[in-house]
Amino acid sequence: MTQQRPTLRQYSAGMRGRSPSPAAREAVYDEDGGGGMVPVGLALGDAEACKIKDALFLGNVMAVQDANFVMMNKIGFCIKCQTGFPVPQHLRRMGVSYTVSNLLGAFMDQSLSVEKKDALLEAFFNRMEDAAEMGMSVLLYSFEDFVWPCFCVVAYWMRKYRWTVEHAVAVMKSRRPDVIFEQSALSELSLLAERISQKHRGAIAAEEESVITHTFANAQGLQSSEEEGSSPATRARPITAHTGRIKWQAGNGIADFCAYHDLPADTPIIPPKRSIIPILRTRRTNTDKAVPFTPARFLDDNTPQQ
């Protein structure tokens, strides 16, 4: 008889079969229940991971247990973004730090106050910034559904760069196209955007933000609005774009042809446009579906940058 696999919903609350008490509810989203092996009955697949940007990776429960993957990418922080399943922390002896930050579960919990949700985001933000200062990579992981770590990254980008929800989600989808945020999660992000625009002011890391946004624009087949006077259409212009015409010299078949038809020998011959194929071809993209990035990507259009 095949053993039935429990659903992830049974584990999303942090305890199997029952919800946490109100006193322990907040701790469920930012405290780990310890190490240990994955519970018996959960079917495990292959390790899966993807790179979001330099020093930031997403993975599943098997990727975080892959010692070669963790050490080769210099991952010093493994942050579990979905609670309810223990993971062996055998790399602690190698200096890897294991923490928990279930932002999606916290933001979807209507019993948590807005202050508690913002405090959890701020703790996650500080962990990410500490890892960047130490020069260590971060692995955000869940059991198998990548929407949990993707939500954390979107909220982190909104907090750090003061991006709009639309731009942050679009950048994330360019990295992980299969991720789907439910409308309730997008509504929570919209409320978060309002709070961020009211609380956080000042300069942002312009160079880092520009790198991420330019990479996103390249992936969309678009060009930065800051680069004027250059476009793929002008860089890969076919030869027919020039106004010059071809003139044939005497002593060849074309000159004889002109003489036979009583035409001047220097008659300009215009080649048909369909016969000219540009050597450089621009990538064909559906710009209607692409999301261009402009200063409107910020919650405040006049966001000062450093």
Side-chain angles (χ1 to χ4, degrees):
M1 182 176 179
T2 305
Q3 189 174 12
Q4 189 176 5
R5 173 182 172 181
T7 61
L8 293 177
R9 183 173 297 179
Q10 294 178 265
Y11 298 91
S12 62
M15 299 184 188
R16 183 175 180 178
R18 61 190 180 92
S19 300
S21 62
R25 185 178 297 274
E26 181 183 356
V28 168
Y29 301 113
D30 65 351
E31 291 184 6
D32 199 355
M37 299 302 295
V38 176
V40 177
L42 288 179
L44 300 180
D46 298 329
E48 182 181 2
C50 66
K51 182 179 179 180
I52 299 300
K53 69 178 192 68
D54 290 342
L56 179 58
F57 300 85
L58 305 185
N60 62 0
V61 67
M62 296 304 295
V64 72
Q65 302 179 63
D66 190 333
N68 291 331
F69 169 75
V70 173
M71 302 311 297
M72 287 180 59
N73 291 283
K74 299 182 180 180
I75 295 174
F77 293 84
C78 295
I79 303 180
K80 185 164 66 174
C81 301
Q82 178 187 9
T83 52
F85 60 95
V87 174
Q89 302 177 0
H90 53 266
L91 294 180
R92 281 189 179 274
R93 64 180 183 274
M94 305 295 294
V96 178
S97 174
Y98 293 83
T99 57
V100 177
S101 185
N102 184 3
L103 292 184
L104 178 57
F107 275 70
M108 297 301 296
D109 189 348
Q110 300 302 321
S111 65
L112 277 185
S113 64
V114 173
E115 291 75 14
K116 296 294 185 181
K117 296 177 181 179
D118 291 347
L120 291 173
L121 174 58
E122 201 67 21
F124 177 78
F125 174 81
N126 292 332
R127 289 169 185 164
M128 297 291 289
E129 293 301 292
D130 291 342
E133 292 181 1
M134 297 172 62
M136 303 298 293
S137 299
V138 178
L139 172 62
L140 307 179
Y141 68 97
S142 59
F143 188 78
E144 63 178 358
D145 191 350
F146 278 60
V147 70
W148 300 82
C150 286
F151 184 90
C152 293
V153 176
V154 169
Y156 169 71
W157 281 341
M158 292 173 59
R159 165 64 179 86
K160 183 172 184 178
Y161 305 123
R162 294 202 296 280
W163 279 351
T164 61
V165 178
E166 293 76 13
H167 184 71
V169 171
V171 175
M172 175 52 65
K173 284 184 174 291
S174 70
R175 300 294 197 277
R176 191 75 187 182
D178 59 342
V179 66
I180 299 177
F181 294 102
E182 296 183 357
Q183 186 58 44
S184 55
L186 295 176
S187 299
E188 288 294 332
L189 289 175
S190 298
L191 296 176
L192 173 63
E194 296 178 2
R195 299 195 298 270
I196 291 177
S197 61
Q198 295 174 0
K199 292 182 180 179
H200 302 286
R201 298 285 181 178
I204 66 172
E207 182 176 356
E208 181 179 344
E209 190 276 337
S210 179
V211 169
I212 298 176
T213 305
H214 277 73
T215 304
F216 162 68
N218 293 335
Q220 295 294 310
L222 299 177
Q223 190 176 6
S224 170
S225 60
E226 301 170 356
E227 298 178 0
E228 298 180 356
S230 176
S231 67
T234 58
R235 291 197 301 268
R237 180 178 296 173
I239 192 172
T240 52
H242 299 283
T243 57
R245 296 177 177 180
I246 300 175
K247 295 185 178 180
W248 307 101
Q249 295 181 353
N252 52 39
I254 297 297
D256 297 337
F257 174 83
C258 293
Y260 178 80
H261 290 278
D262 196 19
L263 297 174
D266 60 347
T267 300
I269 306 299
I270 304 176
K273 293 184 178 181
R274 58 182 175 84
S275 65
I276 303 299
I277 301 177
I279 298 177
L280 299 178
R281 293 189 176 210
T282 59
R283 180 170 54 181
R284 297 180 180 178
T285 56
N286 188 351
T287 55
D288 295 336
K289 295 183 179 180
V291 182
F293 67 91
T294 64
R297 66 185 182 270
F298 299 110
L299 295 174
D300 181 3
D301 292 345
N302 297 322
T303 300
Q305 301 186 5
Q306 62 182 8

